[in-house]
Amino acid sequence: MARIAFILLTHKDPDGIIAQAERLTQTGDYVAIHFDARAKPEHYRKLRSALDANPNVTFAKKRVKCGWGEWSLVAATLEAVKAAVADFPRATHFYMLSGDCMQIKSAEYAHDFLDAEEVDYIESFDFFSSGWIKTGMKEDRLVYRHWFNERNQPKRFYLAYNLQKRLKLSREVPRDLQMMIGSQWWCLRRRTMEQVLDFIKARPDVMRFFRTTWIPDETFFQTIVHHLIPETEIRARTLTFLMFTDYGMPANFYNDHYDLLLAQDYLFARKISPEAKELKQRLGELWTREGVQFAVSNEGRALHRFLTGRGRVGRRFAPRFWEAEATLGRERTLTLILCKKWHVAKRLVAEFRKRSSIPALDYVFNEMAPLPDLGGIETSPEKRNRHRRALMRMVFDHENADRMVICVDPAELDVIEDFTRDKCQTRILEIECQFSDDYLKGHAQRVGLAGHHTPPQVLDQMLPTIRADLHHESERLRDAEFENYALMREGGEIEDNARALAHALDIPSDMAQELAELDYIFRD
């Protein structure tokens, strides 16, 4: 059975570290602690006093003063690793943690998970081609030497960096290494860790290189493990769940995230907020429990993007430059059918096509709804949206029509506003639907906010936000006060819906009455 030696890098909160170490060792696992040499001496003495008697806890023999982005973080990790390898000969895996991490599965689950495959878990993507680094310094992390810390010595950092660039003092990456990059939160097998320690003894040139790279904790282990271990024995992922905000900072988890965290396909999570005392207590109790079943759905990141993105949806008021001269024409009429339930709008359009010669299209800007060959502009969603006015003008020309109907998702306000600003006459029919809880749960799964195994408690917490979001989309349409706007309601009076259809589609009242009387249109 797997027995884990946790490599714990810490610099504060001795009480929390003591509790974490005692908890993790209750199940026969081990903890090797590196406590930052910059931290308060009394905090370190408190740790030693509380944990020295625990045979499953060890401390790094040498303490390092750590700084973000520096080699010191790797050096501290290696000190804790060496202590763990020497003191815990029965450890099968070495798992990197920080003091802000907590388990989101039981020890029983974690051991079974690691026993299932004879592999290492470490993010390792090609440094130069993967695009893992989104912003900031990239190749220059490696090809120039970095002796100073950008955060506390920014003038020296950039003086040395710019001087090297000016004098063309770049260096080569060790030729036999493929530089890799990834998260610092890894879990490695014992023989892998022993190979890494043997490698760094045999390759002082590699150690010299990494000592002056910038943010080496994202490249050192990632590169060496990839160099030593066959790719078939590496899973390029972390077992620690973490998310980042729009500002590039790790997102914190709070008391109401318990069910969400347990549903993720990870063993640990960071960062747990210091204020989340209830969450810490519940997660702490989880580690030693047996027989717990976890329904893994893994929707956490999609849900975070959805919730944090509300209110930041930008609007585009000016036409794009390639559309400046594009117009459908004053003599043409375009009707936009706006409906969140796509199947409802599609059924209405299908019935309309049976009764009218007016061309009517499905969601051409939201999905790859069929279009005629227009010379390539119709071949991808990106092209359709980039040149939407030109696209619709070509469809009008192809159909030799001066009236047309298309479906648009109500969330696409920029599409709607584009056409209402055009010289053509634009009519709008909004179809207001009723959303049951079951429908919203299905909607959450379709858009990736939830999976088939998402716990019911998580879904219940999501539903008010999703419902409010759909309501907000409808409110935005009405606040825009579009001309030639009509509203058709699920459950509304047939006569009212018929009038809305007749106005928006500009069709005879008897045809509108027929469409309004179709009772299957709104069925889910």
Side-chain angles (χ1 to χ4, degrees):
M1 184 185 79
R3 297 188 71 176
I4 308 168
F6 293 100
I7 309 303
L8 187 55
L9 292 194
T10 62
H11 66 282
K12 61 180 180 179
D13 188 18
D15 292 327
I17 298 168
I18 292 167
Q20 187 179 33
E22 291 178 340
R23 180 171 56 246
L24 293 174
T25 56
Q26 283 181 27
T27 52
D29 295 302
Y30 310 99
V31 174
I33 299 173
H34 178 277
F35 195 67
D36 194 335
R38 298 183 192 275
K40 295 179 180 180
E42 60 268 27
H43 286 177
Y44 183 64
R45 287 194 294 270
K46 186 173 186 178
L47 285 178
R48 298 300 301 252
S49 175
L51 296 173
D52 274 348
N54 188 330
N56 285 18
V57 175
T58 191
F59 287 83
K61 302 303 183 283
K62 178 182 177 183
R63 293 171 63 203
V64 180
K65 293 181 178 180
C66 297
W68 185 89
E70 296 178 2
W71 167 256
S72 57
L73 287 177
V74 178
T77 304
L78 287 173
E79 291 299 324
V81 165
K82 291 173 185 176
V85 170
D87 294 348
F88 305 133
R90 297 182 64 187
T92 61
H93 294 78
F94 296 81
Y95 195 122
M96 177 79 169
L97 284 179
S98 78
D100 295 322
C101 298
M102 285 200 73
Q103 62 280 349
I104 55 175
K105 299 290 187 294
S106 63
E108 180 183 62
Y109 182 98
H111 295 153
D112 291 343
F113 183 96
L114 295 177
D115 283 335
E117 279 194 289
E118 185 62 24
V119 294
D120 297 305
Y121 295 91
I122 181 169
E123 280 192 351
S124 50
F125 305 103
D126 186 272
F127 185 96
F128 298 100
S129 64
S130 67
W132 194 87
I133 301 174
K134 303 301 182 187
T135 60
M137 190 181 292
K138 296 185 180 181
E139 290 84 353
D140 289 358
R141 289 188 186 190
L142 306 177
V143 300
Y144 295 107
R145 298 165 180 83
H146 302 278
W147 297 283
F148 306 104
N149 190 298
E150 181 191 26
R151 290 193 170 183
N152 54 36
Q153 294 179 298
K155 290 184 179 179
R156 290 182 177 180
F157 179 91
Y158 285 106
L159 178 63
Y161 168 54
N162 292 324
L163 186 61
Q164 290 178 81
K165 291 181 71 175
R166 191 178 309 120
L167 298 177
K168 298 182 179 179
L169 297 178
S170 61
R171 60 177 177 174
E172 288 188 354
V173 173
R175 293 188 177 182
D176 62 328
L177 295 183
Q178 179 185 0
M179 294 301 301
M180 309 297 286
I181 191 166
S183 166
Q184 71 180 104
W185 311 108
W186 39 253
C187 179
L188 304 177
R189 295 167 295 174
R190 183 179 194 90
R191 67 181 182 88
T192 299
M193 191 58 76
E194 290 172 342
Q195 285 181 259
V196 169
L197 294 178
D198 290 341
F199 178 86
I200 63 178
K201 289 179 184 176
R203 294 293 300 272
D205 60 315
V206 173
M207 296 297 282
R208 283 194 300 272
F209 174 81
F210 278 108
R211 281 194 181 98
T212 52
T213 59
W214 184 233
I215 319 181
D217 54 302
E218 293 179 350
T219 54
F220 180 79
F221 286 99
Q222 295 79 359
T223 298
I224 294 177
V225 170
H226 185 271
H227 178 73
L228 297 173
I229 304 302
E231 197 167 343
T232 54
E233 296 180 26
I234 297 175
R235 298 293 175 265
R237 57 160 296 188
T238 174
L239 296 181
T240 298
F241 180 61
L242 66 161
M243 299 188 300
F244 290 91
T245 68
D246 293 345
Y247 305 101
M249 301 299 291
N252 282 311
F253 297 108
Y254 295 92
N255 291 334
D256 57 351
H257 287 133
Y258 180 80
D259 292 312
L260 180 142
L261 290 175
L262 266 59
Q264 307 315 306
D265 187 22
Y266 297 86
L267 305 183
F268 284 74
R270 78 179 298 267
K271 294 175 126 183
I272 308 300
S273 170
E275 302 168 6
K277 291 181 171 52
E278 180 186 342
L279 177 62
K280 287 185 175 184
Q281 180 182 348
R282 297 178 73 186
L283 292 177
E285 294 169 354
L286 177 67
W287 182 247
T288 56
R289 290 173 60 187
E290 296 181 355
V292 182
Q293 299 297 315
F294 296 91
V296 174
S297 55
N298 224 29
E299 78 291 340
R301 289 196 175 97
L303 179 59
H304 180 263
R305 284 193 298 270
F306 170 75
L307 293 175
T308 58
R310 299 306 91 194
R312 296 203 196 105
V313 181
R315 301 185 185 183
R316 179 170 61 79
F317 296 99
R320 292 183 169 99
F321 69 90
W322 57 76
E323 296 174 333
E325 300 302 323
T327 177
L328 277 60
R330 295 182 186 278
E331 73 285 358
R332 287 172 169 162
T333 299
L334 177 66
T335 297
L336 308 178
I337 296 182
L338 314 180
C339 185
K340 198 65 184 180
K341 291 186 177 180
W342 292 8
H343 61 276
V344 172
K346 288 180 179 180
R347 287 173 186 164
L348 178 64
V349 164
E351 294 292 343
F352 175 70
R353 280 194 290 258
K354 294 177 184 177
R355 295 165 171 78
S356 173
S357 61
I358 300 172
L361 308 175
D362 291 339
Y363 289 83
V364 295
F365 297 111
N366 302 107
E367 61 179 355
M368 290 301 290
L371 285 176
D373 184 353
L374 301 173
I377 193 174
E378 81 292 347
T379 55
S380 73
E382 292 78 14
K383 288 184 178 180
R384 290 185 180 197
N385 279 279
R386 189 181 305 128
H387 308 293
R388 60 176 70 102
R389 291 189 190 178
L391 175 88
M392 290 309 303
R393 186 177 68 247
M394 294 172 72
V395 175
F396 268 104
D397 292 341
H398 182 274
E399 298 291 340
N400 194 25
D402 57 10
R403 295 170 63 192
M404 192 169 295
V405 176
I406 65 170
C407 301
V408 179
D409 190 290
E412 304 295 337
L413 189 62
D414 60 337
V415 175
I416 301 164
E417 288 177 331
D418 257 0
F419 289 121
T420 57
R421 285 194 300 267
D422 193 79
K423 295 177 182 178
C424 73
Q425 183 183 84
T426 306
R427 295 172 177 263
I428 293 175
L429 173 66
E430 182 187 358
I431 304 178
E432 182 183 87
C433 296
Q434 298 171 4
F435 301 103
S436 66
D437 285 354
D438 286 341
Y439 178 85
L440 291 181
K441 290 175 182 178
H443 174 73
Q445 292 176 353
R446 287 189 291 274
V447 299
L449 295 177
H452 292 291
H453 301 292
T454 298
Q457 304 94 316
V458 175
L459 275 172
D460 290 341
Q461 290 176 346
M462 291 164 54
L463 292 186
T465 302
I466 298 173
R467 191 181 300 278
D469 197 58
L470 298 181
H471 177 73
H472 174 65
E473 289 178 2
S474 183
E475 286 297 305
R476 286 197 308 168
L477 293 174
R478 294 169 199 185
D479 289 344
E481 297 182 345
F482 294 118
E483 294 183 13
N484 298 314
Y485 169 89
L487 177 64
M488 178 179 180
R489 285 192 168 96
E490 179 179 2
E493 296 293 332
I494 291 178
E495 292 74 14
D496 294 338
N497 287 343
R499 280 194 294 273
L501 286 164
H503 174 76
L505 299 174
D506 193 16
I507 55 177
S509 57
D510 56 342
M511 185 189 300
Q513 185 76 17
E514 274 187 58
L515 293 173
E517 290 175 350
L518 294 171
D519 58 359
Y520 87 98
I521 293 289
F522 287 101
R523 287 180 194 160
D524 289 335

